[in-house]
Structures are given as C-alpha cells and as structure tokens.
Amino acid sequence: MYRASLAAFTALMLSGCIDPAGVDGMGAGQTSFGFADTAVAADAVPFGQLARNCTIRKRDMGTRVGTASGYDVYDTAPDTIQPRTHFLTGFGDGCARQFTGALVIFGDIGTHEIVRYADVGLDQPYTPTDDAYEAIKASYCRVGRSEPCGRSINRLARTTSFVTIYNSFADNAAWMDILLHKGDVAATDVNR
C-alpha cells in the first residue's frame, strides 16, 4: 500500500497536479495526498482531495451554508444528501477551494480542544491536522502540546477553524479534516 501511494504521489508531482513545495503555504510532505492543484467549475474533485478553483464565480458556487473565522462554505445542491461539489472561500489568494462531500461541518477550536484534550482524546494518535494545530496554538497561546490555549483562544479563533467533510450521511467511515488558518489551508487528513 505504501509503495502504491508513493508511486501515485510521485506521478501526481511529475504531472504538475501537486506542487512539491506544497499548497497554500504548506511544506512538502504535508499534502497527505489531499491536494489537486487546480480545478475549473466543471471538474469533479474526488472525495478526500481539495482543489484550488480560481475560475468559479461566487454566484455559481451555490448556497452559502456555513461561515466561520472568515471562511464560507457553499453547497451546490443543499437539498440532497448525496455527495456533491462544495466550495470554500476566504483564502488569501482569492481563489475558492473545491471538494466533494455529503456533509460539511465547521468545527471551532474550543470544541477541538475539549475533545482532543479529554482523557479519551489523548489516547488517540495525532493526525496531520492535530499536529498543525498544536504548532499554531503554541505560537499564539504560548502553551505546550496537549495543553488548552487559555486566554488567547478567542484571538486564535478569529483566524482559525476546522472543517470536517463526510463522504456519506449514512456511513461515516470516511471523512476529511481541514485546518484553516490565516487565509490558508494549514493541514488536511483523510480518515478511511
């Protein structure tokens, strides 16, 4: 499995679909195979990938269904529970991020800390989004790993949010987490 994933990643890098320096300011190796570099409005983006779309007009993105920390989620078909195209706006480059999912939920950092730092959360392995949050939190809040942000949490929450995308309403065995910070995608991970 590892060799197949590495081969697929290398093929995508060589074809130009993934920037080896990362996307949205992320360093190499932090893409977690989750980024296709660009999409146009007619493209379908497979579940678990996030694509930059600079050609879509806001009026063509669908209905705004969520807002958090300066980011907006648009749903192209909010009256269905089937996987469909969504758009996320609020990025420094002015381009939307396009993805596919059946259910999209913003998650605030306070809730993340409650769940992550509870006894049962501490037993779970850290994901790329958890690790990225810990680094961002340390620079804003001056606290260590697995410690709540404290008094600076409201300042951090103005520019930082999580987005969870589920592939299905009925079977949530697959989901994607995105950490957004200061107009960029800080990290993603896909859980299957």
Side-chain angles (χ1 to χ4, degrees):
M1 178 66 182
Y2 173 75
R3 285 185 181 182
S5 296
L6 182 59
F9 180 71
T10 303
L12 288 170
M13 277 185 20
L14 293 174
S15 70
C17 292
I18 295 178
D19 179 355
V23 177
D24 294 311
M26 293 174 50
Q30 292 180 312
T31 59
S32 300
F33 308 106
F35 289 98
D37 194 33
T38 58
V40 295
D43 289 346
V45 177
F47 174 76
Q49 293 187 8
L50 190 63
R52 180 182 293 123
N53 188 323
C54 298
T55 64
I56 188 80
R57 295 177 299 211
K58 194 166 280 193
R59 69 175 185 242
D60 296 329
M61 291 183 191
T63 303
R64 186 172 62 185
V65 294
T67 300
S69 306
Y71 302 94
D72 295 314
V73 170
Y74 292 84
D75 189 335
T76 58
D79 56 343
T80 183
I81 62 171
Q82 298 302 312
R84 59 205 175 272
T85 298
H86 292 79
F87 295 94
L88 185 59
T89 63
F91 296 97
D93 64 5
C95 296
R97 300 306 185 266
Q98 181 177 331
F99 58 89
T100 299
L103 176 64
V104 180
I105 301 171
F106 272 113
D108 67 273
I109 61 174
T111 302
H112 171 80
E113 288 190 1
I114 290 169
V115 173
R116 174 37 93 185
Y117 304 148
D119 288 340
V120 292
L122 289 172
D123 293 338
Q124 300 300 313
Y126 272 60
T127 66
T129 54
D130 291 323
D131 289 335
Y133 179 72
E134 291 296 322
I136 293 166
K137 180 193 69 171
S139 70
Y140 270 73
C141 309
R142 306 286 187 230
V143 296
R145 187 173 180 88
S146 302
E147 293 180 32
C149 182
R151 293 187 324 223
S152 299
I153 197 163
N154 290 334
R155 183 172 65 96
L156 179 56
R158 285 194 289 272
T159 60
T160 308
S161 187
F162 287 88
V163 178
T164 300
I165 304 159
Y166 294 95
N167 193 36
S168 166
F169 261 85
D171 175 14
N172 289 323
W175 70 91
M176 178 180 186
D177 287 323
I178 304 170
L179 176 61
L180 305 170
H181 177 65
K182 294 179 89 175
D184 281 327
V185 173
T188 68
D189 56 75
V190 178
N191 301 281
R192 297 181 196 256

